[in-house]
Amino acid sequence: MPKALEHSATSWKGQALKHNRSILDRLDPRLRLLFTSVFALLVVAANSLGVLLVCLATALTFALLAKLNLRRTLRRVLAMDLFVIFLLFMLPFTTEGTPLFEVAGFVASVEGVQHALFIGLKANSTLLCLLALIGTLSASTLGHALAYLKVPEKLVHLLLFTVRYLDVIGQEYKRMRRAMQARAFVMRANRHTWRAIGYLIGMLLVRSLERSERINNAMKCRGFTGQFYLLDNLRLTRIDYLFAIFSCGYLGALIGAILL
Amino acid sequence: MHIVDGALSGPVLISGAVLAVLGVGIGLKKLDAERLPQVGVLSAAFFVASYIHLPLGFSSVHLILNGLIGLALGWVAFPALLIALLLQAVFFGFGGFSVLGVNTLNIALPAVLVFYLCRRGITAYSDRTAAIWGGIGGGGSVALTTVMVAGSLALSGQAFWAAAQITLIAHIPVILVEAFVTGSAVLLLRKVKPEFLQLSETWQEQRYG
């Protein structure tokens, strides 16, 4: 797989990653979360081409409204679509049904093509909506919104801690890799590489654990009792009510279209 | 290893989500506030470690490390991995939203199993035995994850059987690499920081003097 298509080849930039301010940023994060969840469930449940095309159009509209970074988004969509393309090639031949065409003795069926097409539409609609509505939130806002939506407190704390230290641990990792490079370490497909990487990961974990002990002490020193206080009070404004009314109508219509 | 939205059938998605919620519930119950910073930092470390790409043939593989996560965290692997998958889905667009439950279950359940099956092995007196058990844990958990991913595909319809088989075959090299890496990581952790693997100091003194 080419480097550019690997999501994980890009390191975590988290909150440092800039995105253009857009009208969607004025919406309440809780509403965005709720809308995306319901939308994703409906898309997965949908089973007609018309409905799915409407969903994709909706997701594309959100992506445009959110002014997503074109290159970054395209890279992510492509990375996911590699899996979909793989299915697109496989499914027509493995599904039984009305024959459509034949390649080297293998028969492609209409049902298979349709199935693969549906998966592609569903995957892309949910992904675009997710990136546009939630991917543009900062990770800590996401945590706070989840907390307001009654997600268990410990889970939210875990999310906030993880996000807070991703960058720090990422730096630590880069430092250790630089040290290995300075000693002329080159990754190859052999046991020496795997052992070295195993030690690297082990050492990264040791350092992380020791860091977490220092963090724990520092937090206790400041009176941490296992409770984070959410200092931002999210309040619904007029644009939120408008969005809520629109989404109720839209999602209701979607449910109706799926049930019919 | 991640399945995208839309591929799996309703029953598979729902049962995956229910089981994942159960697992996360148990994990959260076992996680006391005292350990929150520790688990948060470790799950960040695992997140970082999972974007190490190792060259293999024409392509490269990235590590999953769920075996090592399981050995270190036990049931807490469930919430830690859910967070990692959520962050990946939301900010990298990798994986999907409705499949979050299935993906969490597929990766975290093997981690928990490895915790119970290999924990004794990695406390063995001989370094070699311990590293081998670590390797079994690392390779075994990825193997199990692969089987579960293939299973979720196969259960979603006969049309996916071929895709499921290809998934199984494609992951054999990943299992081998993962086994070597986890084995060496266990070896290092035993010597440098045995409490990481929940080994006591008396054990360390007896073993390394």
Side-chain angles (χ1 to χ4, degrees):
Chain A
M1 206 190 280
K3 260 266 150 65
L5 292 180
E6 281 165 1
H7 79 99
S8 33
T10 55
S11 67
W12 169 265
K13 297 200 186 69
Q15 286 149 304
L17 212 58
K18 265 210 283 279
H19 79 271
N20 303 323
R21 299 285 300 169
S22 71
I23 183 162
L24 289 186
D25 286 317
R26 287 163 57 194
L27 291 176
D28 188 277
R30 288 167 294 177
L31 280 181
R32 286 152 76 172
L33 255 173
L34 280 177
F35 180 85
T36 312
S37 326
V38 179
F39 180 75
L41 291 181
L42 290 178
V43 167
V44 171
N47 47 12
S48 78
L49 188 63
V51 175
L52 284 175
L53 285 175
V54 171
C55 291
L56 185 63
T58 316
L60 276 173
T61 316
F62 278 127
L64 284 178
L65 282 178
K67 296 187 195 152
L68 289 181
N69 180 322
L70 193 67
R71 265 191 58 198
R72 209 189 300 147
T73 312
L74 220 55
R75 203 168 58 218
R76 288 168 184 175
V77 171
L78 262 179
M80 181 200 66
D81 278 343
L82 283 181
F83 179 84
V84 177
I85 290 167
F86 163 71
L87 280 181
L88 215 54
F89 279 114
M90 299 261 318
L91 275 178
F93 300 101
T94 54
T95 313
E96 283 175 27
T98 335
L100 186 67
F101 58 87
E102 206 183 298
V103 183
F106 294 102
V107 185
S109 69
V110 182
E111 285 83 355
V113 172
Q114 193 194 28
H115 192 180
L117 186 68
F118 276 17
I119 293 177
L121 285 173
K122 287 176 180 183
N124 283 300
S125 310
T126 33
L127 177 66
L128 281 176
C129 186
L130 204 63
L131 289 179
L133 284 175
I134 305 185
T136 47
L137 289 173
S138 80
S140 52
T141 317
L142 174 66
H144 288 192
L146 286 172
Y148 279 114
L149 290 173
K150 302 282 175 249
V151 168
E153 221 167 52
K154 276 188 204 161
L155 203 59
V156 174
H157 289 0
L158 198 56
L159 175 86
L160 291 174
F161 266 117
T162 308
V163 168
R164 166 67 183 81
Y165 286 100
L166 268 174
D167 225 15
V168 181
I169 306 287
Q171 296 288 341
E172 186 97 63
Y173 164 71
K174 277 188 198 133
R175 202 156 43 237
M176 290 165 77
R177 275 306 295 277
R178 244 192 329 270
M180 287 169 89
Q181 262 166 13
R183 289 159 182 77
F185 171 77
V186 182
M187 280 219 233
R188 296 216 174 78
N190 55 23
R191 274 176 60 181
H192 170 71
T193 303
W194 300 336
R195 192 168 55 227
I197 293 295
Y199 289 164
L200 166 71
I201 291 169
M203 213 49 223
L204 186 69
L205 291 174
V206 170
R207 289 185 181 196
S208 307
L209 191 70
E210 282 169 357
R211 182 184 292 277
S212 82
E213 282 159 11
R214 294 196 297 275
I215 294 166
N216 204 13
N217 289 341
M219 290 182 67
K220 266 196 211 151
C221 176
R222 288 160 182 78
F224 181 64
T225 52
Q227 165 87 44
F228 268 134
Y229 298 95
L230 304 172
L231 294 176
D232 52 350
N233 44 358
L234 300 171
R235 196 175 280 147
L236 297 175
T237 57
R238 230 177 83 201
I239 186 168
D240 294 320
Y241 287 114
L242 282 175
F243 180 69
I245 292 167
F246 155 78
S247 12
C248 284
Y250 173 78
L251 294 172
L254 214 55
I255 293 174
I258 290 169
L259 288 181
L260 282 179
Chain B
M1 210 44 114
H2 303 52
I3 304 173
V4 298
D5 275 317
L8 298 181
S9 70
V12 174
L13 285 178
I14 294 167
S15 34
V18 170
L19 289 174
V21 166
L22 274 177
V24 171
I26 297 174
L28 285 180
K29 200 149 207 178
K30 297 210 173 205
L31 169 66
D32 44 329
E34 182 83 342
R35 270 182 79 206
L36 263 174
Q38 186 195 337
V39 177
V41 172
L42 285 183
S43 97
F46 280 117
F47 195 96
V48 169
S50 75
Y51 48 68
I52 304 178
H53 278 75
L54 296 171
L56 200 71
F58 303 107
S59 165
S60 68
V61 295
H62 80 93
L63 299 166
I64 306 171
L65 293 174
N66 52 347
L68 200 55
I69 297 176
L71 287 174
L73 298 178
W75 276 98
V76 180
F78 260 99
L81 283 163
L82 172 67
I83 297 293
L85 286 171
L86 178 73
L87 289 175
Q88 279 187 343
V90 170
F91 294 106
F92 289 140
F94 212 63
F97 189 81
S98 64
V99 281
L100 211 52
V102 176
N103 281 339
T104 306
L105 184 73
N106 285 350
I107 298 182
L109 190 63
V112 175
L113 286 179
V114 161
F115 174 73
Y116 284 112
L117 292 178
C118 300
R119 202 167 44 140
R120 273 188 66 86
I122 58 170
T123 62
Y125 183 78
S126 126
D127 279 338
R128 206 184 152 78
T129 319
I132 289 173
W133 272 104
I136 293 174
S141 61
V142 177
L144 211 58
T145 298
T146 314
V147 170
M148 286 174 71
V149 169
S152 343
L153 281 172
L155 281 175
S156 292
Q158 212 163 11
F160 285 113
W161 285 13
Q165 280 164 4
I166 291 181
T167 313
L168 280 178
I169 294 166
H171 277 94
I172 292 173
V174 187
I175 294 168
L176 281 176
V177 172
E178 192 94 22
F180 273 108
V181 171
T182 310
S184 351
V186 164
L187 198 58
L188 180 119
L189 285 170
R190 254 165 62 101
K191 284 189 188 161
V192 180
K193 197 136 181 112
E195 58 268 41
F196 187 90
L197 301 165
Q198 279 132 34
L199 301 175
S200 63
E201 263 173 49
T202 47
W203 177 88
Q204 188 186 17
E205 272 162 26
Q206 277 167 9
R207 176 63 188 84
Y208 294 106

